[in-house]
């Protein structure tokens, strides 16, 4: 931990921040781009009522493509500026302005989809034949036909886009602006608290008294905002349910899975099998943590601690660059050049400051390079977080370079596979770099605590909770703080059994996750890591051929379904075999941790 002071954005080092000038050099250029996009949008409205031939289909999609390419940097600039400091009023107003702009343009251009779907199929097929680059766009459009509403209704829904996004914005404002944490005290010493300090440091703190006191203080503050946050979430759920009903989907699950191009079987299987078959392995891991740390009881507040906290190395930002290059070098020379660019050109925002979004993410605006947000704590496990986000960056860097804007983004079901693959590659590199038993135990425990716990446990338990919430909404019900707390607590108790005490405050973890405002996103982490684990094992056994297959998959973007993308990489996700094999692999890692711990104890 570099220090306990929570800095203002204006106080952080420039070299630890990202450089947004490749998007726009200045506010003047940003405003010019908005004027240009408004003008282009007006030009497109001239096509209204004229889309009646294959040639006119190609022409209007071409103009729409250009409009989308103009919109992307505007949206990214506004969102990225706000994400590093939610307290910045100028950034708040800019983001609100852009949100309204997007709603207006979506409303103005909604006629394109409506008119295309009113055409005879022969005209669309001829357009596909004459311009294959738009084939994927048209095919995905045709899939939507059964759920397309009257053109005027579609226009109204598009115009209300900002309103529909309001719950997520309200959630973020409550979380990152209104909630201000007081310092907490342990044995007469005072410690500062914030979202990023808790999730980046105190949750991992080896001192049990400090860690548990921080958890209590953090949870106590969350509790004061539980009713507002629950009402905000319920509002979001009602919007999703209303749209699903309007469009004629059988359930809210079908509606949300539609864009992912997977059915409910893949969704439910992921949750059901992990809840049942992974739980025994993770309970063993919890017991091992309890034993090594000499804890009288294992509580929810103890689950994120390191197996060997006195051993975990510290790492600087500059040192992390070499780890990225060495650990991910198997991906090839071009990939390593991209990693250098990410550091040299300041694609990454490392700073810790007040108002910054929690966690980490990667935004990859089409036509520019990716941007990564992370709050650097100098803990060695950050190499896994950074390699994860660089996995997203590498994916879209390749997809954007080889696909048009319509074809670049794959299904949400697949989106976490490239990121978690990088974590596996980094872990393998670290394991190969030393024969020291203690170091090996640290690496394997980090794979469990970071890669698999984060993606297969934290996010999967979110998914299990989320499914129960959507079942209530789908049956016409509503949720409040009490209901959400009870659901979250029951899911945690089901998974951890009597191996972990689900203490007061654990039930409030639903308040911490923005993923709930992104549809059925949480379960996709385990789906992506299932694919990644299987491809990683292929790379271990087959070498370069498997790597080349994987690079091809990354370049393919969203031109194929998740099942097809996995097949390209040599994985069949139409069966439960990859998932069961991945769970067995996790079990084998925990076996190794137990054996290494016994060896070190002796």
């Amino acid at each position: 931990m570099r220090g306990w002071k929570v800095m203002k954005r204006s106080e952080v080092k420039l070299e630890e921040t990202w450089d947004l000038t490749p998007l726009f050099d200045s506010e003047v250029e940003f405003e010019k781009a908005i004027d240009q996009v408004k003008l282009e949008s007006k030009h497109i409205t001239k096509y209204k009522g004229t889309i009646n031939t294959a040639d006119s289909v190609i022409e209007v999609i071409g103009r729409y493509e250009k409009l989308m390419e103009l919109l992307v940097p505007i949206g990214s600039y506004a969102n990225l500026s706000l994400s590093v400091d939610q307290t910045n009023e100028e950034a708040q107003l800019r983001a609100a302005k852009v949100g309204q702009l997007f709603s207006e343009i979506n409303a103005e251009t909604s006629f394109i989809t409506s008119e295309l779907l009113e055409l005879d199929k022969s005209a669309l097929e001829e357009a596909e034949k004459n311009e294959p680059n738009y084939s994927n766009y048209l095919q995905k459009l045709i899939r939507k036909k059964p759920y397309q509403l009257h053109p005027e209704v579609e226009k109204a829904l598009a115009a209300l886009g900002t309103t529909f996004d309001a719950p997520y914005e309200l959630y973020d404002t409550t979380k990152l602006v209104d909630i201000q944490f007081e310092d907490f005290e342990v044995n007469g010493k005072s410690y500062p608290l914030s979202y990023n300090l808790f999730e980046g440091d105190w949750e991992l703190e080896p001192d049990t008294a400090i860690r548990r006191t921080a958890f209590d203080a953090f949870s106590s503050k969350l509790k004061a905002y539980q009713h507002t946050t629950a009402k905000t979430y319920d509002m979001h759920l009602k919007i999703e349910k209303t749209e699903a009903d309007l469009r004629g989907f059988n359930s809210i699950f079908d509606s949300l899975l539609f864009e992912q191009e997977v059915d409910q079987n893949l969704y439910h299987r992921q949750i059901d099998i992990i809840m049942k078959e992974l739980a025994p392995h993770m309970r063993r891991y919890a017991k091992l943590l309890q034993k090594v740390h000499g804890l009288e009881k294992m509580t929810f507040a103890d689950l994120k601690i390191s197996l060997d906290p006195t051993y975990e190395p510290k790492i600087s930002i500059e040192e992390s660059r070499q780890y990225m290059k060495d650990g991910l070098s198997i991906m090839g020379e071009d990939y390593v050049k991209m990693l250098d660019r990410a550091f040299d050109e300041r694609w990454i925002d490392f700073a810790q400051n007040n108002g910054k979004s929690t966690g980490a993410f990667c935004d990859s605006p089409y036509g520019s390079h990716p941007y990564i947000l992370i709050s650097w704590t100098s803990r060695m496990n950050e190499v896994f977080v950074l390699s994860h986000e660089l996995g997203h960056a590498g994916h879209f860097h390749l997809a954007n370079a080889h696909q048009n804007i319509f074809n670049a983004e794959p299904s949400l079901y697949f989106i976490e596979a490239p990121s978690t693959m990088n974590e596996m590659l980094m872990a393998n590199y670290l394991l190969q770099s030393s024969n020291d038993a203690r170091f090996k135990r640290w690496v394997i425990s980090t794979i469990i605590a970071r890669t698999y716990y984060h993606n297969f446990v934290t996010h999967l338990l979110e998914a299990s909770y989320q499914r129960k919430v959507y079942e209530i909404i789908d049956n016409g019900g509503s949720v409040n703080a009490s209901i959400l707390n009870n659901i979250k607590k029951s899911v945690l108790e089901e998974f951890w059994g009597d191996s972990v005490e689900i203490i007061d405050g654990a039930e409030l973890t639903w308040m911490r996750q923005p993923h709930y405002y992104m549809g059925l996103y949480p379960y996709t982490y385990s789906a992506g890591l299932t694919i990644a684990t299987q491809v990683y094992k292929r790379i271990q056994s087959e070498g370069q051929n498997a790597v080349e297959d994987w690079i091809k998959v990354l370049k393919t973007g969203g031109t194929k379904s998740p099942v097809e993308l996995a097949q390209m990489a040599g994985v069949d996700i139409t069966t439960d075999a990859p998932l069961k094999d991945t769970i067995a692999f996790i079990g084998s890692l925990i076996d190794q941790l137990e054996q290494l711990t016994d060896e070190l104890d002796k």
Side-chain angles (χ1 to χ4, degrees), residues 437-453:
R438 196 175 180 193
F439 182 75
K440 281 183 177 293
R441 185 177 72 162
W442 177 83
V443 174
I444 294 170
S445 67
T446 305
I447 300 171
I448 294 296
R450 159 64 214 173
T451 304
Y452 283 107
Y453 187 102

Side-chain angles (χ1 to χ4, degrees), residues 462-493:
E462 291 166 2
S464 183
Y465 153 86
Q466 185 185 45
R467 181 169 65 174
K468 292 177 184 291
V469 171
Y470 276 126
E471 285 169 352
I472 292 172
I473 300 299
D474 222 22
N475 289 320
S478 300
V479 294
N480 58 24
S482 177
I483 291 171
L484 296 175
N485 289 343
N486 287 336
I487 293 173
K488 188 64 183 178
K489 186 175 183 179
S490 71
V491 168
L492 294 174
E493 288 175 338

Side-chain angles (χ1 to χ4, degrees), residues 269-473:
R269 181 180 71 197
Q270 206 71 23
I271 298 172
D272 291 339
I273 292 178
I274 293 176
M275 286 294 290
K276 180 181 177 182
E277 298 189 16
L278 180 64
H281 295 306
M282 294 310 299
R283 290 171 189 175
R284 280 196 295 133
Y285 174 67
K287 289 294 184 185
L288 183 61
L289 282 177
Q290 182 180 0
K291 172 189 168 185
V292 170
H293 283 265
L295 299 174
E296 184 180 339
K297 62 179 179 178
M298 187 69 183
T299 77
F300 185 79
D302 305 320
L303 284 168
K304 295 290 183 74
I305 54 178
S306 170
L307 193 61
D308 193 351
T310 60
Y311 184 75
E312 183 172 5
K314 296 293 182 183
I315 183 173
S316 69
I317 291 170
E318 188 51 41
E319 286 169 338
S320 73
R321 177 204 286 244
Q322 197 58 47
Y323 274 101
M324 295 304 113
K325 292 173 65 176
D326 291 343
L328 304 175
S329 61
I330 193 171
M331 293 291 286
E333 186 180 343
D334 289 342
Y335 200 93
V336 172
K337 286 179 181 176
M338 180 211 71
L339 298 175
D340 269 330
R341 285 188 62 196
F343 284 86
D344 291 336
E345 299 174 19
R346 286 172 49 211
W347 296 6
I348 309 167
D349 199 275
F350 293 98
Q352 276 211 40
N353 60 264
N354 186 44
K356 186 173 181 178
S357 292
T358 59
F361 69 74
C362 177
D363 181 42
S364 300
Y366 192 87
S368 183
H369 60 67
Y371 286 91
I372 291 169
L373 179 142
I374 184 173
S375 293
W376 194 258
T377 64
S378 298
R379 294 178 185 271
M380 184 68 174
N381 72 356
E382 297 284 27
V383 300
F384 288 91
V385 182
L386 188 54
S387 63
H388 177 105
E389 298 307 333
L390 283 165
H392 286 306
H395 183 194
F396 282 98
H397 187 66
L398 289 168
N400 288 350
H402 290 86
Q403 304 294 337
N404 64 37
I405 196 168
F406 300 127
N407 295 348
E409 188 167 345
S411 159
L412 202 60
Y413 185 93
F414 184 82
I415 214 83
E416 295 297 338
S419 53
T420 49
M421 162 62 81
N422 272 19
E423 292 190 54
M424 300 300 296
L425 294 176
M426 181 58 65
N428 182 66
Y429 163 72
L430 292 172
L431 283 173
Q432 299 304 317
S433 67
S434 172
N435 289 318
D436 179 71
R438 196 175 180 193
F439 182 75
K440 281 183 177 293
R441 185 177 72 162
W442 177 83
V443 174
I444 294 170
S445 67
T446 305
I447 300 171
I448 294 296
R450 159 64 214 173
T451 304
Y452 283 107
Y453 187 102
H454 188 67
N455 300 297
F456 253 76
V457 179
T458 298
H459 292 319
L460 197 281
L461 293 181
E462 291 166 2
S464 183
Y465 153 86
Q466 185 185 45
R467 181 169 65 174
K468 292 177 184 291
V469 171
Y470 276 126
E471 285 169 352
I472 292 172
I473 300 299

